[in-house]
């Protein structure tokens, strides 16, 4: 079980998307669940994703400032899935 950073509900790991921050500071979606780095989980739901952005919960989870371009890239990948 993992907790979504958007809605704070605990769900099975396979029902959530993992977002990873690598040691180099790159942020990307991890569809395999095996990439190295610090991970945060979010529901595969646009509403949870928007809550996460609005409340800056991903910034808190990764302890760094996240630029709008990264959110747009993640949003594009999420909507294509």
């Amino acid at each position: 079980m993992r907790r979504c950073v958007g809605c704070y509900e605990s769900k099975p790991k396979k029902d959530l998307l993992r977002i990873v921050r690598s040691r180099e500071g790159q942020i990307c979606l991890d569809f395999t669940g095996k990439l190295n780095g610090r991970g945060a989980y979010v529901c595969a739901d646009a509403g949870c994703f928007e809550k996460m952005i609005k409340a800056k919960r991903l910034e808190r989870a990764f302890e760094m400032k996240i630029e709008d371009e990264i959110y747009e890239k993640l949003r594009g990948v999420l909507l294509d899935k």
Side-chain angles (χ1 to χ4, degrees), residues 15-75:
D15 294 343
L16 300 169
L17 295 174
R18 183 172 186 243
I19 303 172
V20 177
R21 183 197 70 193
S22 68
R23 290 183 186 205
E24 294 81 29
Q26 289 184 316
I27 297 175
C28 63
L29 282 174
D30 178 13
F31 294 107
T32 65
K34 297 180 180 182
L35 289 177
N36 288 330
R38 181 165 180 85
Y41 294 84
V42 66
C43 296
D45 175 52
C48 282
F49 189 80
E50 295 303 323
K51 283 183 197 175
M52 175 190 72
I53 293 171
K54 186 175 180 180
K56 299 185 182 207
R57 293 177 181 159
L58 196 60
E59 291 183 9
R60 272 188 249 137
F62 290 155
E63 299 173 346
M64 65 179 283
K65 173 76 173 130
I66 298 175
E67 301 298 326
D68 291 335
E69 296 85 40
I70 294 172
Y71 285 128
E72 290 302 319
K73 184 176 113 180
L74 292 174
R75 186 180 286 124

